[in-house]
């Protein structure tokens, strides 16, 4: 059974940085696409970034390019989201998600992923 547990969220000032972590179990990183999504207040859940072994990382959200990066520690079964130069519009609940794909789905839609963590809240103050 796939299990995902996020941590690392919190309150940060605009311009600051955070690292979100996702502890994973129950699957092999080699065969899965690893992604971060977010749900901003009043908005639908949206893809942020995805990582697969075969193609590396792809961005789903243009506004985070150059500010957010994704990485994984396959040995320790961790997925990370490094967020820098945070903006108030980055305020959201952030979720890690995984799916049994060799490549990241191009759509960036939540429906493509069936395994989710519970989410971690990030609040960026202006």
């Amino acid at each position: 059974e796939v299990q995902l547990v996020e941590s690392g969220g919190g309150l940060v000032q605009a311009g600051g940085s955070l690292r979100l972590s996702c502890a994973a179990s129950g699957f092999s990183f080699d065969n899965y696409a690893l992604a971060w999504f977010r749900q901003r207040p009043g908005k639908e859940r949206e893809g942020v970034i995805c990582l697969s072994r075969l193609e590396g990382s792809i961005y789903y959200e243009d506004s985070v390019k150059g500010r957010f990066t994704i990485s994984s520690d396959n040995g320790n079964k961790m997925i990370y989201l490094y967020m820098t130069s945070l903006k108030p519009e980055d305020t959201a609940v952030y979720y890690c998600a995984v799916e049994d794909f060799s490549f990241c789905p191009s759509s960036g839609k939540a429906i493509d992923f069936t395994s989710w963590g519970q989410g971690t809240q990030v609040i960026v103050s202006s």
Side-chain angles (χ1 to χ4, degrees):
E1 179 188 4
V2 174
Q3 292 191 329
L4 303 168
V5 180
E6 300 97 333
S7 61
L11 175 64
V12 62
Q13 288 189 329
S17 301
L18 275 178
R19 186 188 75 168
L20 304 184
S21 301
C22 176
S25 61
F27 65 99
S28 171
F29 275 31
D30 284 347
N31 303 319
Y32 273 64
L34 316 173
W36 286 93
F37 283 73
R38 68 184 181 186
Q39 189 160 13
R40 293 185 280 185
K43 304 284 188 180
E44 292 187 355
R45 196 171 298 188
E46 61 185 2
V48 176
I49 192 169
C50 182
L51 176 67
S52 68
R53 182 177 63 85
L54 293 183
E55 63 179 351
S57 62
I58 65 168
Y59 286 95
Y60 290 137
E61 173 57 42
D62 286 345
S63 68
V64 307
K65 288 181 179 178
R67 301 190 296 122
F68 291 12
T69 56
I70 184 173
S71 69
S72 66
D73 179 343
N74 292 10
N76 290 313
K77 291 292 187 75
M78 297 294 294
I79 308 165
Y80 299 105
L81 179 65
Y82 296 88
M83 305 186 294
T84 64
S85 301
L86 282 160
K87 304 175 181 180
E89 53 264 42
D90 294 318
T91 293
V93 178
Y94 284 75
Y95 300 88
C96 64
V98 301
E99 191 52 57
D100 186 9
F101 297 137
S102 297
F103 294 90
C104 291
S106 60
S107 72
K109 294 190 181 297
I111 196 171
D112 289 329
F113 290 80
T114 57
S115 297
W116 295 85
Q118 84 288 352
T120 186
Q121 176 77 57
V122 172
I123 299 173
V124 184
S125 63
S126 57

